[in-house]
Amino acid sequence: MKHNSNTLKKIVRGLKQKGFTFTPKKKGYLIKPPVEIGGSGYLMHFKESAIHPMRRFFKSNYGITIM
């Protein structure tokens, strides 16, 4: 059984509501922005340590504040 934190689940749920798509890859997920936002995707692992770099990436590249 794998454990995912509630914080990570909230972030993923919020991004899905904003139109981001999640594509499973071999070592994580590729997060692609909606067409109207444009830009590059983000490859992330589902770990607690991935939250802070992901927050910085989305704030600097898309202007989206997560949490």
Side-chain angles (χ1 to χ4, degrees), residues 6-58:
N6 286 336
T7 306
L8 190 56
K9 289 178 187 178
K10 288 177 186 177
I11 291 171
V12 169
R13 192 176 319 123
L15 288 174
K16 284 183 179 180
Q17 288 176 350
K18 292 179 192 268
F20 286 82
T21 57
F22 287 74
T23 307
K25 296 293 179 183
K26 188 175 182 181
K27 293 188 176 184
Y29 282 85
L30 178 64
I31 305 171
K32 293 182 183 177
V35 176
E36 56 270 0
I37 293 178
S40 62
Y42 182 77
L43 183 65
M44 71 164 281
H45 302 280
F46 268 91
K47 289 181 162 183
E48 189 75 26
S49 61
I51 292 174
H52 187 66
M54 186 172 69
R55 290 176 63 195
R56 284 193 315 230
F57 176 82
F58 281 95

